[in-house]
Amino acid sequence: MTFPESRPRRLRSTPVIRGMVAETRLSAADFIAPLFFDARISRPEPINAMPGQQRWPVEAAAEVCGPLAEAGVNAVMLFGLPDYKDDEGSSSWQDTGVVQQAIAEIRRSCPEMLIITDVCLCEYTSHGHCGLLDGNSVDNDRTLPLLARQALSHIEAGADIVAPSDMMDGRVGAIRGALDVHGHSDTPIMAYSAKYASAFYGPFREAAESTPSFGDRRSYQMDPANVREALKEVSLDLAEGADIVMVKPALSYLDVIHRVREAVQVPVAAYNVSGEYSMIKAAGAAGWIDEERAVREVLTSIKRAGADLIISYHSLEAALAIRSGRWS
Ligand code: PBG
């Protein structure tokens, strides 16, 4: 059938009919909210480059996770700003580390919250790279035991899932091995499998104080030009024991999300990163776009591309908009 028999506009005439035929629906349960905990502060500090986001002291765990839980956001992803940094990032695996303490506080104040931790060294190393240095390059194999130690420490502090974001080869296997040996064979790993070397991490690096002191991350993060390589990274991580695979960033990589979704049988997560968030916030604040509509459109596009889980700084506002009925 073609025009005039076929008229797609028939199914667009009212909000009710549009709602009935919508192919993609957002739900608060899709979201994972990233949170920054800072060991050196006693009050929340706004993050300049990420309007609406804060760095939280550990004691504020209830203040931050209460409203999320109330809005139906069931999962958080934790990042830490430690009280000291060194060459190997040892503040990342201390029992008294900032993420370890935040895990305990969240467990206490929001017992149902799913706690995912980002596993990486860049927030904890004095040089800001994601692994141990050998001269000016990152030593892949010597980094693996350190990542495994950090992941184990997060799980022993009470985290539910670890999410390695360092992009070292073999790290999923190293972490899986360490967890299994210590009796955590039921703990899932969410792997940042296709993580690109992206300009869109800029605001995060300000938030987490994790800018590399020299060079960049292109010797370990992926080249934005590649998609077959993303499928290869995903299959390597699955072979090493990843339970959930991730594509990051999301918006410039919707094709990658789609290709990964078609290629695998495990859940696919997508990370709607800091720069993607801040662009919307900046344009919204300037009055150049309708911010809430833009947020809805962005999140819908990530889900439509094939993401089962969306890690986003918009999580709370999205969940509130969904609950209010404005997005149905
Ligand atoms: C740590 C890490 C980064 C992000 C998540 N984990 C920064 C980076 O790789 O430089 C970025 C998240 C964001 O931009 O929101 N390696």
Side-chain angles (χ1 to χ4, degrees):
M1 265 199 304
T2 53
F3 180 80
E5 291 80 13
S6 182
R7 292 179 181 269
R9 285 185 55 190
R10 288 180 193 127
L11 300 182
R12 296 180 197 145
S13 58
T14 67
V16 172
I17 202 161
R18 290 195 292 272
M20 282 179 72
V21 300
E23 298 173 37
T24 309
R25 260 178 248 280
L26 293 168
S27 134
D30 300 332
F31 298 115
I32 298 167
L35 299 176
F36 300 97
F37 282 97
D38 189 333
R40 304 157 307 174
I41 60 176
S42 51
R43 287 165 193 281
E45 272 184 8
I47 300 166
N48 218 3
M50 300 179 68
Q53 299 295 312
Q54 340 264 332
R55 281 191 218 101
W56 302 96
V58 167
E59 308 79 59
E63 187 186 329
V64 56
C65 72
L68 286 167
E70 167 72 22
V73 177
N74 305 321
V76 292
M77 162 88 88
L78 305 188
F79 295 92
L81 287 87
D83 51 6
Y84 74 92
K85 301 193 186 202
D86 59 19
D87 283 356
E88 52 172 17
S90 67
S91 52
S92 70
W93 59 74
Q94 307 301 328
D95 294 346
T96 53
V98 61
V99 167
Q100 289 78 357
Q101 289 186 41
I103 293 166
E105 278 299 312
I106 295 173
R107 261 295 154 262
R108 201 175 5 252
S109 52
C110 296
E112 306 298 321
M113 188 60 78
L114 186 86
I115 303 175
I116 307 170
T117 58
D118 182 90
V119 172
C120 193
L121 293 182
C122 62
E123 295 128 66
Y124 307 94
T125 51
S126 38
H127 44 76
H129 277 288
C130 301
L132 270 185
L133 290 185
D134 176 12
N136 276 349
S137 69
V138 173
D139 186 329
N140 190 90
D141 296 13
R142 281 175 54 233
T143 299
L144 300 181
L146 307 188
L147 295 166
R149 196 163 167 186
Q150 180 186 147
L152 183 61
S153 160
H154 290 170
I155 294 306
E156 303 214 309
D160 297 297
I161 300 183
V162 283
S165 72
D166 52 283
M167 289 302 275
M168 296 303 117
D169 294 329
R171 91 279 205 209
V172 173
I175 291 171
R176 183 74 273 155
L179 293 178
D180 288 357
V181 165
H182 290 88
H184 303 292
S185 51
D186 289 336
T187 297
I189 298 176
M190 173 191 283
Y192 285 73
S193 301
K195 176 173 176 182
Y196 288 86
S198 171
F200 293 101
Y201 306 153
F204 173 95
R205 290 183 191 169
E206 188 197 302
E209 294 174 7
S210 63
T211 309
S213 60
F214 66 90
D216 55 43
R217 304 208 202 289
R218 281 183 286 188
S219 73
Y220 38 103
Q221 299 182 347
M222 283 181 57
D223 183 343
N226 297 350
V227 64
R228 286 191 301 268
E229 190 189 4
L231 299 175
K232 177 178 178 174
E233 284 281 8
V234 163
S235 59
L236 287 169
D237 284 356
L238 289 175
E240 290 175 30
D243 300 279
I244 299 172
V245 293
M246 193 200 299
V247 175
K248 175 183 173 201
L251 295 181
S252 298
Y253 301 87
L254 293 174
D255 59 320
V256 182
I257 296 172
H258 180 69
R259 294 278 296 272
V260 171
R261 176 63 292 163
E262 306 261 280
V264 304
Q265 265 108 45
V266 298
V268 175
Y271 200 140
N272 176 213
V273 300
S274 57
E276 298 172 333
Y277 170 85
S278 298
M279 283 195 302
I280 300 261
K281 288 286 168 189
W288 297 331
I289 55 171
D290 176 335
E291 184 178 317
E292 190 176 305
R293 280 188 62 199
V295 169
R296 184 182 185 188
E297 192 170 330
V298 158
L299 296 173
T300 301
S301 75
I302 296 169
K303 190 162 182 189
R304 191 191 64 230
D308 303 290
L309 305 166
I310 303 173
I311 301 149
S312 178
Y313 304 96
H314 296 295
S315 292
L316 180 59
E317 51 186 327
L320 292 172
I322 292 165
R323 199 177 55 176
S324 74
R326 291 199 299 280
W327 286 10
S328 49

